[in-house]
Amino acid sequence: MAPEPVRETDPTIGRLVTDASRDISSLVRKEIELAKSELKVSAKAGGLGIGLFAAAGFIAVLAIIMLSVAIAYFIHWAGLGLHWSFLIVFGFYLLVAGLLVFLGVRSVKKVKAPEKAIEQGRQIPQALKGKS
């Protein structure tokens, strides 16, 4: 079979390369635009989620305050003076805070330097010199 003759309407290799690079460039640009739009949607959703968590935390703090007042009034209702009732609730919160500080200090004292990594780091110069 004889090859078909080249027509003037057939694209040249240079034109094919130019078209391919233009198409690849366009494809990359469109992919970047798509990624940007997806990130905008994700960032908006993440920001909204963080805002909702902050609002929930604020409302939880308000609820704790209201619960504290209610507990103080229940203690007062049981027959103790109102001022003593509030002092009991205050003292309870101080005990809880003290317990949390104690547990935090105990936990921080468990933090140690990375002894194995330090020892291996000290051995590196010797290993580079050919000593073991």
Side-chain angles (χ1 to χ4, degrees):
M1 230 187 205
E4 291 186 27
V6 176
R7 298 183 212 133
E8 286 190 28
T9 58
D10 288 344
T12 64
I13 292 178
R15 182 181 290 166
L16 289 173
V17 169
T18 302
D19 289 347
S21 67
R22 184 187 67 235
D23 291 344
I24 289 172
S25 174
S26 176
L27 177 65
V28 168
R29 241 184 284 114
K30 296 293 181 185
E31 287 294 325
I32 290 172
E33 288 175 21
L34 176 64
K36 284 181 181 178
S37 67
E38 287 178 354
L39 284 175
K40 284 180 184 177
V41 170
S42 293
K44 285 181 185 177
L48 178 64
I50 289 171
L52 292 173
F53 279 131
F58 178 72
I59 291 173
V61 167
L62 293 178
I64 289 173
I65 292 169
M66 291 303 297
L67 179 66
S68 300
V69 171
I71 290 171
Y73 274 101
F74 279 129
I75 294 171
H76 173 66
W77 187 43
L80 208 57
L82 191 58
H83 57 287
W84 290 113
S85 301
F86 277 99
L87 281 174
I88 289 171
V89 173
F90 172 72
F92 171 75
Y93 281 127
L94 280 181
L95 286 174
V96 169
L99 176 66
L100 292 174
V101 166
F102 171 74
L103 293 175
V105 167
R106 204 171 83 183
S107 179
V108 168
K109 285 184 178 180
K110 291 180 182 178
V111 175
K112 295 180 182 177
E115 295 170 5
K116 291 180 183 178
I118 292 172
E119 183 58 34
Q120 286 181 349
R122 288 182 182 151
Q123 293 174 1
I124 290 175
Q126 294 174 356
L128 292 175
K129 292 177 183 175
K131 301 175 184 175
S132 39

